[in-house]
Amino acid sequence: MFSPCCRCFLPYCVAWKTQKVFSSIFVAVFIITVFCICSAGAHDEEYHDEWEEYLLCRQCGHEVAKATDLRSFTSSKALHQRNDTILGVENVLIQLFQNPQGRQFEVITTQKADVKKLDTAYSSDTWFPNLSWRIITCPHCRAHLGWSYEPHDHKEGKKDTENTFYGLILNHLIHQEFADSLLVMPKLYGR
């Protein structure tokens, strides 16, 4: 019922209760607090992952990319480049690109992303020379989130390799912290 480190506090709780120094409500709160502290220490990795910041799909709230996956892949074809702080990561490269139809996109790059890649890879009209691109969408709502990039000679199909990265459209994403501020109960969206 109790973890080993919590058992050392039980005699004190019982003594406090029998001496009627503290109310039974305080004792219950104390036991729960100690139990939570002990449990949190036993699961530091899970605790860290649960509270890591994410970029979310603006349409449905799906967790698309972690702050730790942000990378700067520079392109000479960018119309404009700037740096900003995103999810607490300073100097994140934001590049402005224009497609052949004249639409412009502010794009950030990540090493990993939880997205669905479309089947066809294109080598023409790429913003990153010597790389092919695929359209990527949100796996939940199918909103267009950007593109994945891979070498032209990529033989792994849609499977990621060490040379794969993602270009995410900045205004198709929302910061988790901002989304949490809009919700009464954080972390309940997109599950």
Side-chain angles (χ1 to χ4, degrees), residues 7 49 73 103 131 139 178:
R7 288 190 185 129
D49 286 346
F73 295 99
R103 285 204 55 206
L131 298 175
F178 179 71

Side-chain angles (χ1 to χ4, degrees), residues 39-52 54 66:
S39 297
H43 306 289
D44 281 341
E45 290 179 18
E46 292 174 22
Y47 179 78
H48 176 71
D49 286 346
E50 181 182 341
W51 293 107
E52 182 158 13
Y54 285 85
K66 295 180 187 179

Side-chain angles (χ1 to χ4, degrees), residues 102 106 121 149:
E106 278 197 318
Y149 292 92

Side-chain angles (χ1 to χ4, degrees), residues 13 16 23-37:
C13 293
W16 288 337
S23 71
S24 59
I25 294 173
F26 180 79
V27 172
V29 170
F30 179 75
I31 290 171
I32 291 169
T33 303
V34 170
F35 179 74
C36 290
I37 290 170

Side-chain angles (χ1 to χ4, degrees), residues 103-123:
R103 285 204 55 206
Q104 293 187 347
F105 302 92
E106 278 197 318
V107 174
I108 59 171
T109 51
T110 64
Q111 190 66 51
K112 297 177 187 173
D114 186 13
V115 294
K116 181 183 185 320
K117 292 182 185 182
L118 298 188
D119 292 331
T120 307
Y122 301 94
S123 57

Side-chain angles (χ1 to χ4, degrees), residues 55-61 64 82 84 86 93-97 103-109 127 143-147 167-175 178:
L55 288 169
L56 310 175
C57 171
R58 184 177 289 274
Q59 295 297 314
C60 71
V64 175
R82 66 183 174 93
D84 205 345
I86 297 177
L93 179 63
I94 301 171
Q95 300 176 87
L96 179 66
F97 293 106
R103 285 204 55 206
Q104 293 187 347
F105 302 92
E106 278 197 318
V107 174
I108 59 171
T109 51
W127 293 327
H144 177 223
L145 296 178
W147 305 268
L168 301 174
I169 302 169
L170 190 57
N171 69 354
H172 291 197
L173 304 170
I174 190 170
H175 294 235
F178 179 71

Side-chain angles (χ1 to χ4, degrees), residues 83-102:
N83 293 311
D84 205 345
T85 300
I86 297 177
L87 300 178
V89 178
E90 294 180 0
N91 295 317
V92 174
L93 179 63
I94 301 171
Q95 300 176 87
L96 179 66
F97 293 106
Q98 183 171 316
N99 70 9
Q101 291 76 33

